[in-house]
Amino acid sequence: MISKEKFYDSLKNTSPPTGLSLPQTALWWIGKQDWAKAHELVQSAEGIRPNDRIHALLHRQEGDLANARYWYSRADARMPDQTIMQEWDDLVRQNFAQTETQPS
């Protein structure tokens, strides 16, 4: 597992680092602004809360708020009152929180 800092640094590369989970990889593609690639990943694993949460963000980003609300609901979350990139950053922090306490 990589640290959150290494994740952010990896965004200058053309492909995601190895060893990322599916939600982490989707977040990486969002960080690269490849929304379609991120959507393809989370849509391939619907019904898993972290994936559904990212799926909600993607629909919010495209302006499909009704669909976004559906996915937030599936993820037991509410649509946040913040920018898309702030929400993305919060999701990155949540998805890399476990790596903060583990040696890399």
Side-chain angles (χ1 to χ4, degrees):
M1 296 183 86
I2 69 169
S3 69
K4 179 178 58 181
E5 289 74 22
K6 288 182 182 178
F7 171 84
Y8 286 118
D9 288 342
S10 76
L11 291 170
K12 64 183 173 224
N13 300 327
T14 57
S15 59
T18 58
L20 296 181
S21 67
L22 189 143
Q24 291 170 335
T25 303
L27 289 166
W28 190 88
W29 286 112
I30 293 169
K32 295 294 281 186
Q33 297 186 359
D34 191 334
W35 304 92
K37 184 71 170 177
H39 190 257
E40 180 182 310
L41 284 171
V42 295
Q43 196 167 27
S44 74
E46 293 177 0
I48 300 169
R49 189 170 291 156
N51 301 337
D52 291 349
R53 180 63 179 79
I54 295 167
H55 202 162
L57 165 69
L58 291 164
H59 282 288
R60 179 175 169 234
Q61 183 278 330
E62 69 185 8
D64 186 354
L65 300 183
N67 205 358
R69 280 190 284 278
Y70 168 78
W71 287 103
Y72 283 113
S73 174
R74 293 238 351 217
D76 291 328
R78 295 179 144 228
M79 191 178 312
D81 184 23
Q82 58 189 171
T83 69
I84 298 295
M85 292 316 290
Q86 288 170 329
E87 182 180 359
W88 172 80
D89 194 54
D90 285 348
L91 288 169
V92 169
R93 279 189 248 128
Q94 291 169 22
N95 278 273
F96 284 89
Q98 296 170 337
T99 62
E100 300 298 309
T101 58
Q102 298 173 359
S104 28

